[in-house]
């Protein structure tokens, strides 16, 4: 487990910001920390890295206690072996790419066999063509890859990524994302990933902590947490929806489609370049889901999922309502959000526990809606 | 072309000895002062800054006289140095070096300070997360980045120390073979009847030395390790 507890009062003139964050997350996979700007995301990372020393803090990675103010324990940042990838990369301008990468090795020579080798990191991030280049003629995306490689080669026990994509344009983001996905798959290293983009989180993270106003408001799997409309930072993002865990079952080459299994049901989507058996996640936007009380016939929508209504979120003044449908079983619920007009909800007399069909157009699930899990 | 006389070569040798020795022992002080001014906020920083820059704005003779008062045989510090450690600075080449160092010190500090102010201190933070302690981070990251500023400062300091006259003659006097640097020897030559050929040769030596210093610093700052372009 990775345990983070931190409390601090920041006073800046008349502004007081209170950080009171408690988070326990598995020490495997990617845990995203999501929240609006000013919510304390970066502050939390700096505390974990030891760059800030708050009033109260306890950090534990696996069996290693890095600091615990109650017991007077404090490992200085240079001995924590926590890789930190900064949003602004902070590459060293006087060193070549290669010497930036090996910088940490001067201070943390790899003690065990498990440590990533230089060649492995270079291969993973495809840094070979960059090695002899000076820092100032790298593109934004290339700089970020070098920064990730530099952090990995310092032999970290935990990797912190502070909005590594935030400073990049859409094209550069698309260039980096596959590397981050690769990282997650090939490394046995817990990663804390700070982001204010739900789209990135859906693609990369397994766990999600929502932080707002210095407090962790919710923590759980990405599927569970992104399905919660009650968390204001999420619903304000304007890019909400459900993340379904799915498995590729087969390709249907005659129609250019791929069949997926999700919650024991079938989803057809346009062809994916993934082998059968691959585990993926599908982001379904609530506005792409329609509801029907009887199984429709003679209709273009090919994905018809069987379920029943769990709850209806109806806030006065909005012309639409959000309907949460359970497409799993009573024992193992799998939730899907659908957004319909209030008029439609009234006509159909939608209420909790009502059996319903959720209709999803295959073409609404374009390639941006998929992430590996 | 006449060869240089023993006296002239001795003046060159003393000049070099005084200037090089000054650069060496002043460098850590200049780096420390520049770091304090660029990176730290403390009470009395404005006063500290003013004191460092005083030699730029007062006549060197004033500095020489102050040194005499402080470090002379009867001086506040000088008498103790003499009584306890048997060190005398007046009329020695070490005294000449101290006079040159004090006068040229601000020229060493300024370029380093400016270079330090141009370095993002968060780079050291990044180095710390990679396993370097604060001291290692400074020496592995910040110091190499400010190296061009250090070279510039060292050159300005060296040149000013070579040319030092007023403070040196006041504090260390004009003793051939001990404190008579090139400018002092040149001054003596111009005061001596028939000294013009000697003066010309000393001028030539001074020019050659200055040229050598300029070329050396140019060569140092062109070495790829020190060459920096921020993109």
């Amino acid at each position: 487990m990775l345990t983070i507890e931190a409390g601090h009062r920041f006073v800046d003139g008349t502004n007081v910001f209170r950080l009171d964050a408690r988070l326990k997350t598995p020490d495997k996979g990617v845990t995203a920390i999501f929240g609006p700007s000013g919510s304390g995301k970066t502050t939390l990372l700096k505390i974990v890295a030891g760059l800030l020393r708050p009033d109260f803090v306890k950090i534990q990675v696996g069996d290693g206690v890095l600091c615990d103010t109650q017991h007077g324990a404090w490992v200085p940042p240079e001995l924590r072996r926590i890789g930190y990838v900064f949003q602004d990369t902070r590459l060293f301008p006087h060193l070549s790419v290669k010497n930036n990468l090996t910088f940490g090795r001067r201070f943390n020579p790899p003690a065990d066999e498990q440590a990533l080798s230089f060649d492995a990191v270079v291969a993973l991030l495809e840094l070979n063509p960059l090695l002899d280049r000076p820092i100032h003629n790298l593109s934004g995306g290339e700089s970020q890859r070098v920064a990730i490689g530099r952090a990995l080669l310092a032999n970290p026990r935990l990797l912190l990524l502070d909005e590594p994509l935030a400073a990049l344009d859409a094209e550069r983001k698309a260039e980096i994302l596959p590397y981050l996905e690769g990282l997650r798959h090939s490394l046995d290293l817990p990663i804390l990933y700070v982001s204010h983009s739900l789209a990135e989180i859906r693609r990369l993270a397994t766990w999600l902590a929502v932080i707002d106003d210095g407090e962790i408001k919710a923590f759980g799997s990405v599927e569970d947490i992104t399905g919660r409309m009650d968390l204001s930072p999420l619903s304000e993002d304007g890019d909400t929806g459900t993340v379904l865990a799915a498995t590729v079952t087969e390709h249907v080459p005659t129609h250019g489609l791929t069949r997926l299994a999700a919650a024991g049901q079938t989803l057809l989507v346009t062809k994916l370049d993934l082998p059968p058996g691959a585990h993926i996640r599908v982001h379904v936007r609530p506005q792409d889901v329609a509801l029907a009380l009887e199984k429709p016939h003679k209709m273009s929508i090919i994905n018809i999922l069987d379920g029943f209504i769990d709850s209806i979120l109806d806030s006065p003044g909005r012309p639409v309502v959000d309907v949460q449908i359970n497409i799993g079983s009573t024992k193992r619920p799998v939730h899907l959000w659908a957004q319909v007009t209030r008029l439609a909800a009234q006509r159909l007399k939608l209420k909790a526990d009502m059996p319903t069909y959720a209709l999803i157009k295959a073409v609404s699930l374009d390639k941006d809606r998929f992430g590996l899990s | 072309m006449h060869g240089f006389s023993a006296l002239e070569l001795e003046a060159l040798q003393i000049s070099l000895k005084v200037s090089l020795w000054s650069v060496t022992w002043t460098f850590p002080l200049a780096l420390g002062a520049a770091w304090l001014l660029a990176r730290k906020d403390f009470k009395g920083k404005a006063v500290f800054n003013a004191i460092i820059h005083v030699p730029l704005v007062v006549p060197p003779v004033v500095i020489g006289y102050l040194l005499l008062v402080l470090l002379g045989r009867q001086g506040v510090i000088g008498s103790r140095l003499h009584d306890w450690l048997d060190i005398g600075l007046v009329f020695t080449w070490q005294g000449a070096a101290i006079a040159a160092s004090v006068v040229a010190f601000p020229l060493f500090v300024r370029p380093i300070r400016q270079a330090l102010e141009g370095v993002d201190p968060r780079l050291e933070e990044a180095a710390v997360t990679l396993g370097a302690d604060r001291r290692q981070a400074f020496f592995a990251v910040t110091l190499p980045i400010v190296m061009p500023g250090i070279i510039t400062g060292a050159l300005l300091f060296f040149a000013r120390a070579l040319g030092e006259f007023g403070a040196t003659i006041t504090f260390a006097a004009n003793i051939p073979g001990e404190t008579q640097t090139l400018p002092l020897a040149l001054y003596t030559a111009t005061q001596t009847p028939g000294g013009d050929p000697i003066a010309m040769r000393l001028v030539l030596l001074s020019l050659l030395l200055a040229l050598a210093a300029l070329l050396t610093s140019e060569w140092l700052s062109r070495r790829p390790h020190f060459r920096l372009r921020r993109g």
Side-chain angles (χ1 to χ4, degrees), chain A residues 46 49 51 77-79 81-84 86 88-95 100 103-108 136-137 150-151 154, chain B residues 120-134 136-137 139-145 224-225 227-231:
Chain A
K46 285 182 123 179
L51 298 176
E78 65 268 21
L79 300 179
R81 294 194 14 240
I82 292 182
Y84 200 139
F86 300 89
D88 52 357
T89 73
R90 302 195 196 174
L91 295 178
F92 303 127
H94 61 300
L95 300 176
N100 263 280
F103 187 88
R105 292 268 150 129
R106 293 196 226 169
F107 308 101
N108 277 327
H136 62 262
N137 64 24
R150 181 178 72 173
Chain B
D120 188 346
R122 294 175 311 169
L123 288 177
E124 283 183 30
E125 215 171 51
V128 166
T129 67
L130 294 166
D133 64 33
R134 283 282 169 190
Q136 288 168 326
F139 283 105
V141 175
T142 305
L143 195 68
I145 296 177
H225 179 66
R227 201 173 50 213
L228 284 182
R229 304 263 183 285
R230 219 88 47 81

Side-chain angles (χ1 to χ4, degrees), chain A residues 87 89 139-145 163-177 180 200:
Chain A
Q87 187 180 338
T89 73
S139 72
E142 288 167 342
S143 301
Q144 205 50 270
R145 267 151 65 199
E163 306 211 34
L165 304 182
L168 306 177
D169 57 39
E171 212 170 305
R172 298 277 164 274
K173 274 183 193 162
E175 174 195 317
I176 291 279
L177 267 167
L180 293 176
E200 271 168 52

Side-chain angles (χ1 to χ4, degrees), chain A residues 83-255:
Chain A
Y84 200 139
V85 178
F86 300 89
Q87 187 180 338
D88 52 357
T89 73
R90 302 195 196 174
L91 295 178
F92 303 127
H94 61 300
L95 300 176
S96 68
V97 168
K98 190 173 177 190
N99 290 332
N100 263 280
L101 288 171
T102 53
F103 187 88
R105 292 268 150 129
R106 293 196 226 169
F107 308 101
N108 277 327
D112 46 52
E113 319 264 288
Q114 290 173 347
L116 284 162
S117 73
F118 181 79
D119 292 340
V121 170
V122 166
L124 185 66
L125 297 162
E126 297 186 40
L127 296 172
N128 222 5
L130 309 180
L131 287 181
D132 294 319
R133 298 246 300 266
I135 293 306
H136 62 262
N137 64 24
L138 297 180
S139 72
E142 288 167 342
S143 301
Q144 205 50 270
R145 267 151 65 199
V146 175
I148 294 167
R150 181 178 72 173
L152 288 178
L153 282 168
N155 199 20
R157 64 175 114 198
L158 168 68
L159 190 62
L160 311 177
L161 298 168
D162 189 2
E163 306 211 34
L165 304 182
L168 306 177
D169 57 39
E171 212 170 305
R172 298 277 164 274
K173 274 183 193 162
E175 174 195 317
I176 291 279
L177 267 167
Y179 292 106
L180 293 176
E181 287 179 330
L183 216 64
R184 192 186 55 172
H185 279 273
S186 43
L187 299 181
D188 187 23
L189 180 70
I191 297 177
L192 284 185
Y193 186 94
V194 159
S195 180
H196 62 238
S197 155
L198 276 179
E200 271 168 52
I201 290 171
R202 282 192 203 96
R203 267 186 80 163
L204 294 171
T206 313
W207 307 98
L208 172 57
V210 178
I211 186 170
D212 197 10
D213 213 11
E215 269 181 61
I216 304 282
K217 301 284 187 196
F219 174 78
S221 71
V222 169
E223 288 88 344
D224 288 347
I225 299 294
T226 53
R228 281 178 59 184
M229 290 269 181
D230 57 318
L231 296 166
S232 64
L234 290 177
S235 50
E236 281 161 15
D237 186 70
D239 185 27
T240 54
T242 318
V243 175
L244 292 177
T247 312
V248 176
T249 36
E250 61 170 342
H251 296 294
V252 192
T254 45
H255 297 110

Side-chain angles (χ1 to χ4, degrees), chain A residues 232-291:
Chain A
S232 64
L234 290 177
S235 50
E236 281 161 15
D237 186 70
D239 185 27
T240 54
T242 318
V243 175
L244 292 177
T247 312
V248 176
T249 36
E250 61 170 342
H251 296 294
V252 192
T254 45
H255 297 110
L257 296 175
T258 297
R259 202 186 300 276
L260 307 176
Q265 308 201 43
T266 301
L267 267 182
L268 275 168
V269 298
T270 49
K271 189 175 180 326
L272 296 176
D273 282 331
L274 289 168
H279 295 288
I280 60 168
R281 284 183 304 180
V282 191
H283 170 214
V284 184
R285 289 175 298 198
Q287 62 267 39
D288 290 334
V289 182
L291 297 179

